[in-house]
DNA sequence: TTGAAAGCGCTACCAA
DNA sequence: TTGGTAGCGCTTTCAA
């Protein structure tokens, strides 16, 4: 057995035992001092010696060892996939992380692109997170939830359009966004309404319920709805605009402001008058929506704040029974500008 | 109560010992079977018994215990902050994660907003990652690097505008972007060039070198450069446009296409002719840059691919001496459209 | 072919 | 006020 002292810079990673040795105390004392354990009182000179030794060695506690010993971690795992979800979502995401860290959780995003739902759940479970907060970018099955809970997760929370068995669900009723847009278009007199469906993968979770919402609102008023698959590029937008008149649409809900901008530009280039010939409504109320002319009408979405969600996570971790299983958290309203 | 009490709340997380007991073998055998250890041969019936037991219990290995025992992990840590860096970066980021997982690393993003550089490095070190890849969103000091290496990180790689002592650096020379834009504007005849500097925090790492690049190109040709702080909102853009003529600018590099769009719209609303009175150049070659009229000229950036970086990470992990300490990885060129 | 047991780094209980 | 030490879940050496 070759005991090679071949650590990267020749030295080995310092442990609490090294600190104890250098300070001339026991490992227990080191632990007490560095964790400020309230139940034990250590003399000031000893404290100082321990601190100095730790400093000198560049000692950093080993999180895995600590949580192994403790039997639990404070890791909150956020599964992510690359879904170009826009500033709204990413702002929320950031707030959430910040708020969780303030509550003393270690927040870790786990990129799960290309894993199937059960593989993914297993990979997360290996890390033994105390909570998993799925923002709906990655699918979560009831089996996955069960596995996570079995491996110690106190809270499994989903934020998204769908309800998942066994989780605490923060429902974002995307259909509501579609209903708002649909109702608005109907009210503006539209009778045949197109709904842009992005072809980029990963957006179905949002686009499908939004379409359903438009449908509900439109059909209640006797208007027709036509889904319009579209890739986020100039060419397909131009092609769609090219056959616009044969589609006979007098209104369109364009998934979000970015797709709306793309389509609107293509329609204008094709000589379609907006809103005269076709009314256009986007969603998410992005800054860019105000840059084209006519200014884009949009659905403004009020999202739950990251801090609130962080508090929910904390509450569920402390007492899994304490929170409602399901909570609505999205509110939306149409901001009418000039394109509708 | 409709739930069977046995497997709901009070149950404990199954360990390899539980699997061993259920299968009627030792823990060692469980480990051999589940890890397909090549050095040991286990009979097929035993293998099956172990697998079935693991399945039945929903056993998931404990990553912390495993890496504690192994003395190392395969975790690659990517520090992140919320920097609205655009699709270019986020695409790269995603590719990197995917490629690293294919090389059997566990990729974890660690949100580090609001931590100072040394706190952050310490927090990362606690997780004992085998590699840290900093995409330049979070600052890394030489002390931080030293700490990480001391705690076992084999590779510390920075990707960004700056070189950091002790790391393998993949330099993205953002100044080059500025130089390209500056040279282009000078060539179009501009003599007094504005450079938009976003006021949103976190972008200085990109905006400052880009400004320096424009300066270099402009001053070589005897042109002047004026920094223009700007927040990403309609109002400040309008205000800037309002005092445009007194600034006497005949060209502007607008940081990126989004800021360029915002500014261009404000300038047009203020009656400034583009490119006649002022030429506008953005950066990053985003889709939206083609939606306004005139179409936006931009600096197209070719970034290194995530896969290449993943391979570099792997090489450095396996042999820290094997790779060059510094490598250029950004190439840029002006795409002239109509705004310049 | 399988089992017993040591030990990774840490904390918490109990003893001194 | 401090030290000794068991044991968290896992892998791996050595023995059977």
């Amino acid at each position: 057995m070759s005991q090679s002292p071949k650590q990267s810079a020749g030295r080995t990673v310092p442990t609490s035992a090294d600190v104890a040795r250098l300070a001339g105390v026991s490992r227990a004392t080191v632990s007490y001092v560095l964790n400020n354990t309230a139940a034990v009182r250590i003399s000031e000179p000893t404290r100082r010696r321990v601190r100095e030794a730790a400093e000198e060695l560049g000692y950093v506690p080993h999180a895995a060892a600590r949580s192994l010993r403790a039997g639990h971690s404070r890791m909150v795992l956020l599964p992510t996939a690359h879904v170009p979800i826009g500033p709204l979502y990413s702002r929320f995401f950031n707030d959430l992380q910040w708020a969780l860290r303030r509550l003393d959780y270690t927040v870790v995003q786990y990129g799960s692109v290309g894993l199937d739902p059960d593989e993914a759940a297993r990979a997360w479970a290996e890390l033994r997170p105390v909570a998993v907060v799925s923002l709906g970018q990655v699918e979560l099955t009831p089996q996955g939830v069960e596995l996570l809970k079995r491996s110690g997760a106190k809270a499994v929370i989903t934020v998204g359009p769908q309800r998942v068995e066994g989780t605490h669900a923060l429902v974002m009723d995307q259909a509501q966004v579609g209903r708002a847009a649909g109702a608005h278009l109907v009210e503006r007199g539209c009778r045949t309404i197109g709904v842009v469906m992005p072809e980029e993968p990963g957006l179905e979770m949002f686009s499908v319920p939004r379409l359903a919402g438009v449908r509900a609102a439109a059909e209640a008023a006797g208007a027709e709805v036509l889904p319009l698959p579209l890739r986020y590029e100039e060419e397909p937008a131009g092609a769609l605009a090219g056959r616009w008149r044969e589609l006979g649409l007098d209104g369109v809900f364009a998934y979000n402001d970015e797709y709306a901008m793309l389509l609107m530009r293509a329609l204008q280039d094709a000589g379609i008058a907006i809103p005269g010939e076709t009314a256009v409504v986007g969603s998410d109320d992005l800054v860019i929506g105000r840059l084209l002319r006519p200014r884009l009408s949009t659905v403004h979405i009020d999202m739950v704040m990251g801090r609130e969600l962080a508090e929910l996570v904390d509450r569920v971790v402390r007492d899994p029974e304490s929170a409602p299983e399901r909570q609505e958290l999205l509110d939306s309203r149409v901001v009418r500008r000039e394109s509708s």
Side-chain angles (χ1 to χ4, degrees), chain A residues 261-281:
Chain A
M261 297 270 295
L262 178 66
L263 178 60
M264 195 160 89
R265 163 50 64 194
L267 290 177
Q268 288 178 322
D269 287 351
I272 315 280
I274 295 172
E277 195 169 346
T278 298
V280 178
V281 175

Side-chain angles (χ1 to χ4, degrees), chain A residues 12 19 23 29 36 57-58 63 69 71 100 154 167 173 205-206 226 236 244 267 272 286 292 302 309 331:
Chain A
T12 166
V19 177
T29 305
N36 284 314
L57 294 174
R69 165 66 224 226
L100 282 170
K154 300 291 257 293
T167 66
D173 181 12
M205 293 195 134
F206 300 84
L226 185 67
W244 197 255
L267 290 177
I272 315 280
L286 306 181
L292 263 190
D302 290 308
L309 178 51
D331 199 29

Side-chain angles (χ1 to χ4, degrees), chain A residues 60-138:
Chain A
V60 176
H62 192 307
R66 173 178 287 174
S67 67
L68 182 59
R69 165 66 224 226
H72 59 260
S73 74
R74 305 239 343 134
M75 180 191 295
V76 176
L77 190 143
L78 307 182
T80 54
H82 176 65
V83 176
I85 226 91
L88 200 71
Y89 226 62
S90 83
R91 159 93 196 279
F92 167 71
F93 215 80
N94 190 56
D95 286 356
L96 173 62
Q97 294 205 29
W98 185 84
L100 282 170
R101 196 169 29 249
R102 276 189 50 109
L103 291 169
D104 199 35
Y105 290 97
T106 297
V107 183
V108 148
Q109 272 173 261
Y110 194 103
S112 308
V113 198
L115 270 56
D116 86 46
D118 289 315
E119 280 176 340
R122 206 189 130 92
W124 308 336
E126 290 191 358
L127 298 178
R128 297 290 193 273
V130 69
V132 174
V133 182
S134 168
L135 282 310
Q137 299 188 17
V138 181

